[in-house]
Amino acid sequence: GGDVREALAGARRLMDSKDREVRSEVVTVVAWLGKKAMPELAAMMRDEDEAIAQEALTGWEQAFGELNYDFERTKRMLEAVSGLTDRSKIDAVLMRTSELELASALPLLEQVILQCKGKPASACAKEMFAHLAGEAWSSTNRTVKIISENK
């Protein structure tokens, strides 16, 4: 417990370092910590250095596999896509909605659609929603109906 907290605190202090090598070391350590470090990995997915951002995404995806409950998964997915502008990373995160129950996946995608209007995440979420629901997103009322029809 204490070691992980200390490692995360140290990582948070160093993840915005101007030194690329420092950030590269941080993402390696943070990825090793797994699901406890998902917020830090999500933040590092936005690193200006593509190799670091990609390593953060890989670590995030591995940590995602450690999560057991949809409520944890949806929280971490929302956290990861907020602020992301790289379409391929957004797609990689939202692709994981197919691993969720429809009753968790559709409200999450709707939240991204509404919160990220005009941003790449909203467009990605609309595509994933249509893929999972079999129809385009239109309203919260319709989302609730789709979920109840698919129970």
Side-chain angles (χ1 to χ4, degrees), residues 51-96:
I52 292 171
Q54 195 57 50
E55 190 177 342
L57 173 62
T58 302
W60 186 92
E61 289 180 310
Q62 288 170 341
F64 187 84
E66 298 173 28
L67 300 176
N68 299 317
Y69 304 103
D70 278 5
F71 75 88
E72 290 178 298
R73 293 182 184 128
T74 56
K75 178 183 175 186
R76 295 303 176 208
M77 291 169 83
L78 190 60
E79 177 181 84
V81 294
S82 339
L84 270 183
T85 53
D86 181 313
R87 179 92 197 209
S88 67
K89 288 184 188 68
I90 296 165
D91 278 339
V93 170
L94 292 182
M95 197 69 69
R96 307 301 291 258

Side-chain angles (χ1 to χ4, degrees), residues 66-137:
E66 298 173 28
L67 300 176
N68 299 317
Y69 304 103
D70 278 5
F71 75 88
E72 290 178 298
R73 293 182 184 128
T74 56
K75 178 183 175 186
R76 295 303 176 208
M77 291 169 83
L78 190 60
E79 177 181 84
V81 294
S82 339
L84 270 183
T85 53
D86 181 313
R87 179 92 197 209
S88 67
K89 288 184 188 68
I90 296 165
D91 278 339
V93 170
L94 292 182
M95 197 69 69
R96 307 301 291 258
T97 54
S98 62
E99 300 171 33
L100 306 175
E101 294 291 329
L102 211 55
S104 297
L106 296 185
L108 166 69
L109 291 167
E110 180 175 86
Q111 198 173 353
V112 174
I113 291 166
L114 296 172
Q115 282 182 6
C116 302
K117 271 196 180 111
K119 294 179 183 159
S122 183
C124 291
K126 283 178 181 175
E127 288 169 18
M128 196 63 194
F129 188 99
H131 171 74
L132 293 176
E135 66 182 68
W137 177 83

Side-chain angles (χ1 to χ4, degrees), residues 13-25:
R13 282 193 302 275
L14 296 172
M15 61 195 248
D16 294 326
S17 169
K18 300 268 184 266
D19 186 334
R20 184 208 173 282
E21 291 302 313
V22 169
R23 293 193 321 277
S24 181
E25 287 294 320

